Amino acid sequence: MKVPFLMRKFFNRTIGVVEKSETAHPVAEDFLGLAMIYFRSMGVEPYESDKKPGLGFQLYLVFHIINMIFVWVSMMVFVFDSVCNDTSSDFLEVTIVMSYVTYGNVGVLKIIAIQLQKAKLTNLVRHLKCLLPPPIAKEQELYGVKHYLQRCRLISKRFICLFTTMLVTNSVSAIVQYVIQRWLLHVPNVEPNLPYVPIAPWSYRGTWRFLPTYLLQSIAAYTCTCGYIATDLMLFAVSLQVIMHFKTLARTLREFDVQNNRNKKLADNDLRKLRGLIACHIEILEVTNEMNDVFGVPLLLNFLNSTLLVCNVGFQLTIGIGLDFVGRQVLIIICALVEIYLICYFSQQLIDASNDISFAVYEMNWMEADPRFRKMLMLMSMRAQKPVRFKATIFLDISIETMSIVRFRHT
């Protein structure tokens, strides 16, 4: 790739960077590390790499798929059976199970969407690797790579903690409730319940089959949660790198020392530097297009899921959900809304960073520049005035205003 080379040469000539390799500095994979952990924990390899997955890894994915199908079928059988029998006592439980079905469906569909876009995601990751500055201390300091990596990890870890809390709470609450009633309160004839759906193809109450059945449902919930958050973690990592490149480019434009246009040699040198920066801007815009191609469907699923979950759980609260379910369901709502907020927040950051390019062009000393230089700046500024943002396919352009719309409609 010539673009990073051109931009690096501009930086090198500006501050006198010495080309020296330092392998201790961050690379593109460091931004994607947490997302890859969760993808691989369920047997998914989201993009092609030098290391090919083995047979055991593929069988592990097959196990998760079969288990997901098993639990999903159990949930749907329970829902249809309850609806057909028209028993009001099961109605509340049906709505609770349907919230789990909605959450699980989105998690699985996001995995499928990413796998269908595997070739595009592979190209996107390679593109990011080319754009990221090499492991040279001064160059990475100019970009602030470590700062953005720390920010990425901080947000990702808090996001993971929230969803892990929701997963653990929903998975262990049934068994904890049974232990408290049986061993602490000594409630007579208490029976253990499964965490997500109270039926199975076999009899599990009072037998050794209870714990395996409980474990299979909990594993299915873990699979859905991994699919749910891994895609978002990768989206956060990619968007932060794009924001980093936009801000670095804007700062470089502001610091551009425009030479006097009377000297043809100096003017030609300015033109050559500006071409490199414009080429870099084009490359960043291409990355954003690839990013929206890959993550457009998962983004749309996020907003659909948030709407369905909030409506479902809100309905449960209006008809009098039990206290043993309130905390679990409210956690699901909180996770959905926090996820939507972070997506809107990062999209707004992209909008601001991409718009800043046009402001940086205006703040340059362009009046002293060659006419050819000014024409190139004008074209660059015109393109920068069209902001970059997340797009949930063709249906929704996302910004912080989108979060306000979602909140208003839910209330």
Side-chain angles (χ1 to χ4, degrees):
M1 300 291 296
K2 294 182 179 180
V3 173
F5 176 78
L6 291 171
M7 195 167 183
R8 289 200 301 271
K9 287 300 181 183
F10 172 73
F11 285 140
N12 292 346
R13 291 173 182 176
T14 303
I15 63 171
V17 173
V18 179
E19 296 286 342
K20 182 180 179 181
S21 177
E22 295 179 20
T23 57
H25 295 285
V27 294
E29 288 84 352
D30 293 333
F31 285 86
L32 306 174
L34 289 172
M36 293 302 297
I37 289 174
Y38 280 90
F39 272 121
R40 287 168 177 164
S41 68
M42 55 183 171
V44 174
E45 194 71 22
Y47 59 86
E48 297 177 4
S49 59
D50 297 334
K51 186 177 180 181
K52 301 297 181 182
L55 179 61
F57 190 78
Q58 296 174 356
L59 292 176
Y60 181 62
L61 174 60
V62 171
F63 162 74
H64 279 281
I65 294 173
I66 294 174
N67 185 52
M68 276 295 307
I69 294 173
F70 160 71
V71 176
W72 185 85
V73 170
S74 299
M75 289 182 171
M76 297 311 297
V77 168
F78 172 78
V79 170
F80 283 118
D81 183 63
S82 300
V83 171
C84 292
N85 291 335
D86 194 22
T87 56
S88 58
S89 60
D90 291 335
F91 182 71
L92 181 58
E93 197 164 7
V94 168
T95 60
I96 293 173
V97 172
M98 282 306 301
S99 65
Y100 296 145
V101 171
T102 303
Y103 177 84
N105 286 346
V106 173
V108 173
L109 289 174
K110 287 169 77 171
I111 298 172
I112 295 173
I114 287 295
Q115 287 297 93
L116 292 176
Q117 299 287 347
K118 188 172 184 176
K120 291 183 179 180
L121 182 56
T122 301
N123 290 332
L124 174 60
V125 173
R126 290 172 180 171
H127 213 156
L128 289 172
K129 289 180 181 179
C130 292
L131 283 176
L132 195 73
I136 301 172
K138 289 188 177 181
E139 289 197 19
Q140 292 216 341
E141 287 175 4
L142 285 170
Y143 280 79
V145 178
K146 288 186 177 180
H147 165 74
Y148 284 97
L149 178 59
Q150 291 173 357
R151 184 180 172 190
C152 178
R153 287 176 173 172
L154 179 63
I155 295 174
S156 298
K157 287 178 180 178
R158 293 181 178 180
F159 184 71
I160 290 169
C161 287
L162 178 61
F163 273 80
T164 301
T165 301
M166 183 270 296
L167 173 66
V168 172
T169 300
N170 281 274
S171 295
V172 306
S173 59
I175 197 71
V176 169
Q177 184 179 357
Y178 170 74
V179 170
I180 292 174
Q181 291 177 344
R182 177 69 183 274
W183 303 106
L184 295 180
L185 302 179
H186 303 288
V187 177
N189 302 323
V190 63
E191 293 183 350
N193 294 314
L194 295 175
Y196 295 102
V197 58
I199 65 170
W202 49 77
S203 176
Y204 62 86
R205 296 187 183 276
T207 68
W208 63 271
R209 299 183 186 91
F210 172 75
L211 287 178
T213 308
Y214 196 105
L215 184 61
L216 288 176
Q217 289 194 13
S218 299
I219 292 174
Y222 173 79
T223 306
C224 293
T225 303
C226 287
Y228 204 95
I229 67 174
T231 305
D232 295 331
L233 292 175
M234 185 163 285
L235 175 63
F236 299 161
V238 172
S239 61
L240 272 172
Q241 291 184 70
V242 174
I243 292 168
M244 175 185 70
H245 288 297
F246 272 129
K247 289 191 174 182
T248 303
L249 179 59
R251 185 174 65 252
T252 306
L253 288 169
R254 287 189 172 94
E255 296 174 355
F256 199 111
D257 185 16
V258 180
Q259 303 295 324
N260 194 308
N261 59 10
R262 297 178 182 178
N263 189 316
K264 186 177 184 303
K265 183 176 180 181
L266 293 177
D268 290 341
N269 187 46
D270 284 349
L271 282 174
R272 181 176 53 81
K273 293 178 182 178
L274 182 61
R275 289 192 190 102
L277 297 178
I278 292 175
C280 183
H281 187 217
I282 294 172
E283 288 293 325
I284 300 171
L285 294 175
E286 288 182 2
V287 169
T288 61
N289 291 332
E290 294 173 356
M291 176 183 67
N292 281 320
D293 286 343
V294 172
F295 297 104
V297 174
L299 285 171
L300 182 61
L301 290 172
N302 283 335
F303 281 89
L304 292 176
N305 173 67
S306 175
T307 301
L308 292 174
L309 280 179
V310 172
C311 292
N312 189 329
V313 178
F315 175 73
Q316 295 170 25
L317 295 175
T318 60
I319 62 176
I321 188 174
L323 291 177
D324 51 340
F325 288 107
V326 169
R328 296 161 61 177
Q329 298 302 101
V330 169
L331 270 175
I332 294 178
I333 291 183
I334 293 174
C335 289
L337 293 179
V338 167
E339 179 192 36
I340 295 300
Y341 170 76
L342 285 175
I343 290 172
C344 294
Y345 168 77
F346 278 113
S347 185
Q348 187 64 46
Q349 291 289 303
L350 277 173
I351 293 171
D352 296 340
S354 59
N355 273 335
D356 194 39
I357 299 298
S358 62
F359 291 109
V361 169
Y362 180 76
E363 293 171 13
M364 291 176 64
N365 186 24
W366 48 268
M367 296 183 67
E368 299 293 332
D370 184 86
R372 296 170 296 170
F373 189 97
R374 282 179 278 179
K375 290 180 181 178
M376 293 172 66
L377 277 183
M378 185 182 299
L379 294 174
M380 186 178 188
S381 177
M382 291 173 62
R383 177 58 188 89
Q385 290 175 14
K386 182 181 179 181
V388 172
R389 67 184 75 203
F390 291 157
K391 295 184 178 180
T393 64
I394 61 174
F395 297 103
L396 183 65
D397 290 343
I398 302 171
S399 66
I400 201 66
E401 294 178 359
T402 311
M403 185 66 190
S404 302
I405 295 171
V406 171
R407 290 177 60 188
F408 176 75
R409 289 180 177 177
H410 286 167
T411 53

